[in-house]
Amino acid sequence: MASIALKTFVGLRQSTPENNAIVLSKPIATTTLPYRRLRVNASKSSPRVTGRNLRVAVVGGGPAGGAAAETLAKGGIETFLIERKLDNCKPCGGAIPLCMVGEFDLPLDIIDRRVTKMKMISPSNVAVDIGQTLKPHEYIGMVRREVLDAYLRDRASDAGATVINGLFLKMDLPQSKNAPYVLHYTDYNAKTGSAGEKKTMEVDAVIGADGANSRVAKGINAGDYDYAIAFQERIKISDEKMKYYENLAEMYVGEDVSPDFYGWVFPKCDHVAVGTGTVTHKGDIKKFQLATRLRARDKIEGGRIIRVEAHPIPEHPRPKRVLDRVALVGDAAGYVTKCSGEGIYFAAKSGRMCAEAIVEGSENGKRMVEESDLRVYLEKWDKTYWPTYKVLDILQKVFYRSNPAKEAFVEMCADEYVQKMTFDSYLYKRVVPGNPLEDLKLAVNTIGSLVRANALRKEMEKLSV
Amino acid sequence: MSMAIFSPKIPSLTPSPSQSHGKTHVSFKLYLPLRPTRKLRFDLLVSSDNGSGVAATIPDETPVSSEETVGSNGSPPPPLTAKDPVAEPVKLVGGESSFEDPRWVGGTWDLKQFAKDGKTDWDAVIDAEVKRRKWMEDNPQSSSNENPVVFDTSIIPWWAWMKRFHLPEAELLNGRAAMIGFFMAYFVDSLTGVGLVDQMSNFFCKTLLFVAVAGVLLIRKNEDIETIKKLLEETTFYDKQWQATWQDETPSSPGK
């Protein structure tokens, strides 16, 4: 990681060494040897913020924004959380891993359901049950986003953050070094009716947590990313059929359901969410949704569709995630994993990590922060979660490529070792090395499955000719 | 009346021997080779009973045995009975169809029905599974809990896959390699005068050999060259997207 530290310094503004020169009189913990100044301790030489604490605005009140605002407020920073719709019922799978409950001290009543079984269904309807390796206390939590988001926001507010119900419009970048950012937003709090009142706010740093269509990202020209469209229908089915989904979620793979993703049936509080997604064939999403409903027909027959929703899912991080004193977190930064499309945990964790970096870099709000402090968050994030993202990317590339690959995928899921590794890495967000002998067996079995499935596919093509 | 009695396998000894005779004459010929011992036993029984009924009884018994042979075998030779309409593979009734095949039992292939000479005919199993997957791809079906599909391709032994898929391709590739090898060896020899044995100890020639083998293995169709280039780019694409934020002063979307 030392190489990355060097790289980051290469990109830093030329003004940093000047800053060091100005405040040389202040006792610095490090020596004054030139190469030592290249370390991230540059923040310690930032000017003090006099008369007030550091002001930070968090734009967007989802899991990322809520977690960031709470950590900032607890760290003694004056925090403003701007959210446009406080009761937003977001279209989302709603799955959170077990570690999130512990790390974020979530109360257990937020979790509607505990999923302990999953069924993977291949293109030729081979069904495999996974979850036998789960211990009794392990589960995947299904939450309602409006409940989770509201809880995190309330906790931030209790910690001292100011929650503003408003719509972020645009942001004026500072013209001089330590000048504030000017945020323009429409405040819905005031009693001027639904139109809201245009206001401005001056802050020292901004955390962009406003999701896939982030305006903060546009404001700093962060660049675009490829995204998938996830389309979901909430279907209310009979209680009897609902019992099957008591603690079971289903995943359907196949070219009919999605060429590069999967279709799902996830249980929610009293209904199921049936959906699918795709990156490459967005125009055919309705067709894929019909195919998903067909595949699950026996189990959702007679249900009523109570809601139809769609949302974009980023496929990879934006080219720029930090600029000056603006940082992006969560979906705005593009922290959604491939293969599973998981984003809630990573949003909340990145929000918290970014806030921690700001708290540390500003010494609890006493000093101004710099881009280098925000890059500390990026470095820590990349180092901690890069293996997870890369492994999921490889899995997606290998197993979502074609129908034979998806058949092999489902066949592999029947193996107990695979299930154990999958759940361990999903629930606790760590890539465990595992037993090397078993890994070798797994590799051999994977190759075998792929070879067999592809061989069958070649024969199928001969049939159609 | 005797016709009706014939079908339920209850032999009647007496009436309308001419009609029954004609019918049984045919079946007599067909099933004679299959069940010779059976016929013999019946002959003995019949002849011991009464001399007049000999001509009638023998034909009586063989349709019975022929019925039974059909029942017990259950194998492909066209059954003459009413079993025909039932053994259809696919019923297409407006989307309500499901994969039907007599050998697809309980969500997996019944290997006993693929027996050939006492051993399982794995090629037939592979063919059947290929047909099923093709059918499923063309007619996606609802996955139901009552009839789960539990077939796993790994029950087909590795050597069956080898024989069917690997060996023909291996033959092809080895043939290509041999042709290339022979002509390259001749070519190099004619140009440089270095014989085959001396070529093998030369580093440059060994490198050429390696390139030739790798080329034969990796590039099997013309499209493979493009595919390999794309694959190589793909392996590092995601990494580049993640590193994009560290190439600070180049906001020209390197990771798009």
Side-chain angles (χ1 to χ4, degrees):
Chain A
M1 286 301 126
S3 58
I4 290 191
L6 283 173
K7 259 195 243 172
T8 65
F9 182 74
V10 165
L12 279 180
R13 307 262 166 256
Q14 287 307 110
S15 50
T16 320
E18 288 167 16
N19 212 0
N20 281 339
I22 293 172
V23 292
L24 216 55
S25 53
K26 269 207 168 47
I28 311 175
T30 63
T31 64
T32 49
L33 285 171
Y35 63 82
R36 281 288 243 162
R37 276 186 306 170
L38 302 186
R39 289 301 174 99
V40 192
N41 286 331
S43 63
K44 298 244 190 286
S45 49
S46 305
R48 286 199 94 120
V49 170
T50 50
R52 56 176 175 82
N53 272 352
L54 189 72
R55 297 161 304 185
V56 176
V58 178
V59 180
E70 186 194 348
T71 312
L72 286 174
K74 281 208 187 122
I77 294 181
E78 198 179 336
T79 320
F80 303 96
L81 176 56
I82 305 179
E83 165 60 42
R84 71 173 172 95
K85 193 164 187 279
L86 292 174
D87 57 353
N88 202 356
C89 180
K90 291 204 184 146
C92 179
I96 59 172
L98 188 63
C99 57
M100 183 164 179
V101 179
E103 284 179 31
F104 289 86
D105 297 312
L106 296 180
L108 292 178
D109 56 0
I110 270 194
I111 297 174
D112 289 333
R113 261 171 214 281
R114 300 174 192 208
V115 166
T116 51
K117 293 201 293 273
M118 271 197 75
K119 212 188 238 304
M120 323 280 289
I121 298 167
S122 83
S124 63
N125 274 349
V126 178
V128 165
D129 283 307
I130 64 178
Q132 292 104 301
T133 53
L134 282 179
K135 300 196 202 53
H137 67 277
E138 291 178 337
Y139 57 87
I140 304 174
M142 306 298 292
V143 301
R144 265 170 294 168
R145 282 293 301 277
E146 56 272 25
V147 174
L148 174 71
D149 297 355
Y151 174 75
L152 290 174
R153 275 197 303 266
D154 289 340
R155 239 183 24 194
S157 160
D158 289 340
T162 316
V163 177
I164 301 174
N165 182 4
L167 172 63
F168 171 78
L169 297 168
K170 65 183 176 82
M171 167 169 78
D172 294 334
L173 301 178
Q175 300 304 312
S176 59
K177 181 144 195 322
N178 287 323
Y181 287 85
V182 181
L183 270 62
H184 300 257
Y185 66 100
T186 312
D187 193 337
Y188 298 139
N189 274 342
K191 294 165 195 67
T192 50
S194 53
E197 199 183 308
K198 277 209 163 155
K199 286 200 187 148
T200 60
M201 179 200 295
E202 283 191 356
V203 290
D204 302 307
V206 179
I207 295 186
D210 43 347
N213 298 317
S214 169
R215 280 195 185 166
V216 175
K218 238 196 304 213
I220 63 169
N221 284 321
D224 274 326
Y225 45 34
D226 300 322
Y227 63 95
I229 282 278
F231 187 91
Q232 180 170 266
E233 284 166 341
R234 300 201 189 203
I235 298 184
K236 185 122 176 66
I237 55 181
S238 66
D239 287 335
E240 205 191 304
K241 289 200 191 276
M242 200 63 208
K243 254 196 263 181
Y244 169 69
Y245 288 112
E246 180 80 34
N247 50 9
L248 179 139
E250 285 180 331
M251 240 177 83
Y252 294 89
V253 286
E255 305 262 310
D256 55 329
V257 163
S258 167
D260 54 352
F261 205 60
Y262 61 88
W264 63 81
V265 178
F266 287 160
K268 299 233 175 242
C269 45
D270 61 351
H271 56 274
V272 290
V274 178
T276 179
T278 174
V279 180
T280 50
H281 290 72
K282 296 194 185 69
D284 294 329
I285 190 76
K286 292 269 173 68
K287 200 173 69 157
F288 297 143
Q289 177 67 11
L290 279 172
T292 314
R293 267 200 269 149
L294 168 66
R295 293 261 234 128
R297 186 190 57 207
D298 283 3
K299 293 167 240 172
I300 59 171
E301 194 139 24
R304 284 181 304 115
I305 299 179
I306 54 179
R307 215 181 128 103
V308 176
E309 47 201 19
H311 62 109
I313 303 183
E315 285 288 297
H316 63 84
R318 288 190 197 262
K320 237 196 294 206
R321 288 178 266 157
V322 157
L323 180 68
D324 248 350
R325 289 167 275 141
V326 179
L328 297 175
V329 296
D331 271 13
Y335 290 146
V336 178
T337 63
K338 293 227 173 177
C339 194
S340 59
E342 194 201 337
I344 303 183
Y345 172 75
F346 293 105
K349 199 69 203 266
S350 62
R352 175 178 279 192
M353 242 186 222
C354 183
E356 279 169 0
I358 293 183
V359 167
E360 204 184 302
S362 70
E363 285 178 12
N364 289 52
K366 303 285 180 300
R367 290 183 190 283
M368 185 62 93
V369 287
E370 296 246 306
E371 185 169 326
S372 53
D373 305 310
L374 298 179
R375 286 199 177 263
V376 168
Y377 132 69
L378 276 190
E379 211 182 303
K380 191 163 165 221
W381 179 261
D382 283 2
K383 192 159 83 153
T384 322
Y385 292 112
W386 169 241
T388 308
Y389 281 94
K390 184 63 183 169
V391 165
L392 285 168
D393 177 52
I394 293 176
L395 283 180
Q396 164 147 332
K397 284 206 179 75
V398 170
F399 286 118
Y400 284 6
R401 203 171 264 280
S402 57
N403 257 0
K406 291 172 189 170
E407 292 277 0
F409 177 56
V410 175
E411 244 181 53
M412 292 311 304
C413 283
D415 182 45
E416 261 203 35
Y417 182 67
V418 170
Q419 292 182 26
K420 189 166 97 59
M421 300 262 70
T422 310
F423 275 115
D424 264 349
S425 56
Y426 175 81
L427 291 175
Y428 303 109
K429 291 290 167 274
R430 40 160 205 251
V431 181
V432 199
N435 185 348
L437 193 61
E438 295 277 342
D439 279 339
L440 196 61
K441 242 176 44 175
L442 175 63
V444 169
N445 282 338
T446 309
I447 296 176
S449 280
L450 283 169
V451 164
R452 289 196 295 264
N454 275 303
L456 286 178
R457 177 50 169 270
K458 283 207 202 92
E459 289 288 305
M460 279 161 68
E461 273 161 22
K462 281 200 215 143
L463 267 189
S464 58
V465 170
Chain B
M1 201 176 83
S2 66
M3 294 287 284
I5 300 175
F6 256 116
S7 342
K9 302 195 231 175
I10 303 173
S12 97
L13 295 175
T14 41
S16 47
S18 54
Q19 262 180 318
S20 48
H21 190 80
K23 185 168 162 214
T24 54
H25 204 64
V26 173
S27 48
F28 186 94
K29 281 212 181 84
L30 266 175
Y31 290 98
L32 184 56
L34 283 175
R35 294 299 192 130
T37 51
R38 208 99 194 238
K39 183 191 150 291
L40 275 169
R41 263 185 278 127
F42 279 131
D43 273 343
L44 284 167
L45 273 170
V46 163
S47 52
S48 65
D49 269 344
N50 45 4
S52 61
V54 168
T57 45
I58 297 176
D60 282 345
E61 305 304 284
T62 27
V64 173
S65 56
S66 73
E67 289 266 5
E68 281 166 10
T69 37
V70 168
S72 51
N73 246 3
S75 56
L80 299 176
T81 57
K83 290 210 179 119
D84 263 306
V86 179
E88 253 170 29
V90 171
K91 288 201 287 272
L92 288 164
V93 185
E96 285 297 322
S97 54
S98 64
F99 183 70
E100 301 268 336
D101 188 305
R103 299 166 296 177
W104 179 256
V105 171
T108 185
W109 293 106
D110 182 10
L111 293 177
K112 288 196 283 297
Q113 297 193 41
F114 288 92
K116 194 172 82 166
D117 305 331
K119 286 194 300 230
T120 336
D121 182 0
W122 295 111
D123 269 339
V125 178
I126 293 180
D127 283 330
E129 177 64 12
V130 166
K131 280 210 198 74
R132 182 185 80 91
R133 287 199 183 179
K134 180 98 193 103
W135 192 87
M136 290 296 291
E137 226 180 70
D138 296 333
N139 311 291
Q141 285 302 299
S142 157
S143 149
S144 85
N145 288 331
E146 286 78 39
N147 308 311
V149 173
V150 292
F151 177 66
D152 186 349
T153 54
S154 52
I155 60 170
I156 301 173
W158 63 275
W159 52 263
W161 297 98
M162 279 272 282
K163 238 174 63 170
R164 176 139 176 185
F165 296 106
H166 177 81
L167 291 183
E169 181 120 15
E171 192 180 337
L172 193 74
L173 295 182
N174 277 313
R176 283 185 193 164
M179 287 188 270
I180 294 176
F182 177 74
F183 279 105
M184 284 310 291
Y186 184 86
F187 197 52
V188 172
D189 193 348
S190 68
L191 279 184
T192 60
V194 178
L196 183 60
V197 177
D198 294 321
Q199 278 181 42
M200 281 295 102
S201 49
N202 179 310
F203 176 72
F204 180 63
C205 291
K206 279 195 267 208
T207 317
L208 269 185
L209 176 69
F210 179 74
V211 169
V213 169
V216 164
L217 279 177
L218 293 175
I219 303 176
R220 305 190 189 184
K221 303 193 291 283
N222 280 343
E223 298 82 31
D224 281 349
I225 307 177
E226 279 306 310
T227 315
I228 293 183
K229 271 201 260 182
K230 265 195 237 144
L231 272 179
L232 281 175
E233 197 200 300
E234 223 184 65
T235 45
T236 52
F237 189 52
Y238 195 53
D239 308 47
K240 285 206 205 87
Q241 289 172 334
W242 270 79
Q243 295 296 329
T245 198
W246 299 103
Q247 336 291 351
D248 200 46
E249 303 300 346
T250 53
S252 50
S253 57
K256 190 114 199 275

